[in-house]
Amino acid sequence: MKDIYILGIESSCDETSCAIVKNGQEEIATVISSQIDIHKQYGGVVPEIASRHHIRNISIVIEECLEQAHMTMNDIDAIAITYGPGLIGSLLVGVEAAKTLSFLYQKPLIPVHHIVGHIYANELKEPMHFPLMALIVSGGHTELVYMKDHYQFQILGKTLDDAVGECYDKVARVIGIPYPGGPQIDRMAKVGKPTYHLPIPLNDDSYHFSFSGLKSAVINLVHKETQRGNPIQKEDLARSFQDVVTSVIVKKCKQALTDYPVNTLIVAGGVAANSGIRNGLKELCQDKQIHLSCPEIRLCTDNAAMIASAGYYAWKLGKRGDLTLNAKSNVDLQ
Amino acid sequence: MKIFYLDTSSSYLSTGIVENDHIIDQVFIKLDKDLSSFTLPKIDEMFRKNNIQPNEIDQIIVVNGPGSFTGIRIGVTIAKIYACFLEKQIKTVSSLEAMARSVPEDQDYDYVLPMIDARRGYVYGAIYDKDGKELKKESYIQKEALEHDSLLENKKVIVITNDSIDTKYPQVPYDLNLLRVVEGSYDKPFISPHAIDANYLKKTEAEEKCQNSTN
């Protein structure tokens, strides 16, 4: 069978990325231009600034990717593009670039949902075995998805308010850690003790998540302690917070894995790099005797390799976009 | 020599193909929120209708602003990817200069003020003479400040705009004169496709706030 090369483009937030993936599983080249240092000074991603940087980076990133792969556009079978969800101005740059390449080279265009991309980041590490459960945890998403086969998504639960990564960044800000604070909280939690009491959010039998109450609880706790003149033990607060987040994520996953027997739990998204959550899920999967699959850390955050991988399976299923494809800030998993 | 022109800096798609001072085809269509969906399909349609392959184009002229931020990014992305991957020469032209060069030839005036509404009493504007020479550099400026610029004293002035802006001067609507705009770009330099950027004329609010707080 002929090898299929998909060129993926991702620009949904503050990373401009292009990748080439062979047969959905073999990463040939990935280029990621991150704007994280630019947005740090604003305490978070500023959408208009992100869009302005994407447009400067987009052609360089695509060209570099083709160079690294020693390929030209003529070697590419189809172009996969993140069309949503994400920041609309950022998404648009990638979508227009992908559509232009499709127009210039008469190559098929494959629209890819950003979350589907995160799930398929695992395919670059090991083939997915169905049925499986996928937990997506990132700065913009927290979802539990059951998959019977490729591109069959059943959303069991999602966050009712803040995404888990968003909650990490906000808590980090409250305790004076610069953006992006998630990884730093993870490092601090490793040396802290769970001395602060925080409520377990949405501690029910549903598969849904809620993190805004937990964020408020941390803010209130910091205020109260400050008013009382008690200095915050940052490492201990980080540990207490991370333990609560981990426990609720593990609890919801445990429930889902009990109700939907699967052989594999996939964890994807930027927060999948969090050691506390990883360890909690590792223990859960050992108990349940199922396989835990996490992408490589560098492919947990936004990248185009995952889009190209997801694009390959969409391509095999005959999913195609055309030049009228538009970016969508909100779109359901499909 | 075939030149591909593209302007998506307003709610309109304005595009065309010019060959040796002759317009092969030109499309001007109001797309508003559909600019992202339909710009490339309309370009594709224009190329097909005229039986021109993208590779037959020798040069690209893209309007890189000022105007709608999203609109500018659509055109600039298409143009820079086109130029970069098919190795075409590319240059940019300001939306205000394109407007200034499009004043109908029967108009009697000394200077023209192209204006784009930038809201809250501000415009993107500049002052050009009849030959398309920029006398006052384009800027994000209070409409009244531009109208009262000392350069305009004792001059016959007209405003060219497609926005509803009340001004003290007679106005003409903007109807692109593609050949004059292309002609005006002859002495402009080519730019590396990677270096092509949008010309917003305005910092983002976040950058302004950050700048104010450090001053």
Side-chain angles (χ1 to χ4, degrees), chain B residues 13-14 20 48 50 59 62 93 99 120 131 152-153 160 163 170 181 212-213:
Chain B
L13 162 66
S14 179
N20 306 330
R48 284 177 195 274
N50 295 287
Q59 201 185 103
V62 63
V93 64
M99 290 164 85
R120 287 177 281 203
D131 299 323
L152 303 175
E153 278 170 27
I160 184 164
D163 297 332
V181 173
N212 291 342
S213 65

Side-chain angles (χ1 to χ4, degrees), chain A residues 42 48-49 51-52 55-56 59-60 62-63 66 92-93 96-97 99-100 103-106 323-324 326, chain B residues 36-38 40-41 44 48 54 69-70 73 77-78 80 82 84-86 194 197 200 202 204 206-207:
Chain A
Y42 304 104
E48 178 58 26
I49 294 178
S51 307
R52 291 185 178 197
I55 205 159
R56 284 176 202 140
S59 59
I60 299 169
I62 301 171
E63 191 179 77
L66 285 160
L92 264 176
V93 174
E96 289 302 327
K99 289 195 325 186
T100 306
F103 160 68
L104 297 175
Y105 292 94
Q106 298 297 307
L323 295 182
T324 61
N326 202 355
Chain B
S36 160
S37 291
F38 291 108
L40 266 165
D44 186 38
R48 284 177 195 274
F69 293 171
T70 301
R73 282 195 280 268
T77 305
I78 293 170
K80 76 189 282 182
Y82 192 153
C84 180
F85 288 91
L86 292 193
H194 290 320
D197 199 359
Y200 303 99
K202 191 177 180 301
T204 63
E207 286 167 318

Side-chain angles (χ1 to χ4, degrees), chain A residues 36-106:
Chain A
I36 206 154
D37 290 336
I38 295 155
H39 295 281
K40 256 182 193 169
Q41 57 184 307
Y42 304 104
V45 177
V46 181
E48 178 58 26
I49 294 178
S51 307
R52 291 185 178 197
H53 281 89
H54 282 304
I55 205 159
R56 284 176 202 140
N57 298 337
I58 189 79
S59 59
I60 299 169
V61 165
I62 301 171
E63 191 179 77
E64 254 183 49
C65 179
L66 285 160
E67 275 174 16
Q68 277 187 22
H70 304 290
M71 293 173 88
T72 70
M73 277 306 298
N74 295 316
D75 303 316
I76 300 297
D77 292 281
I79 302 152
I81 173 67
T82 310
Y83 72 103
L87 302 173
I88 189 72
S90 292
L91 287 163
L92 264 176
V93 174
V95 167
E96 289 302 327
K99 289 195 325 186
T100 306
L101 289 172
S102 170
F103 160 68
L104 297 175
Y105 292 94
Q106 298 297 307

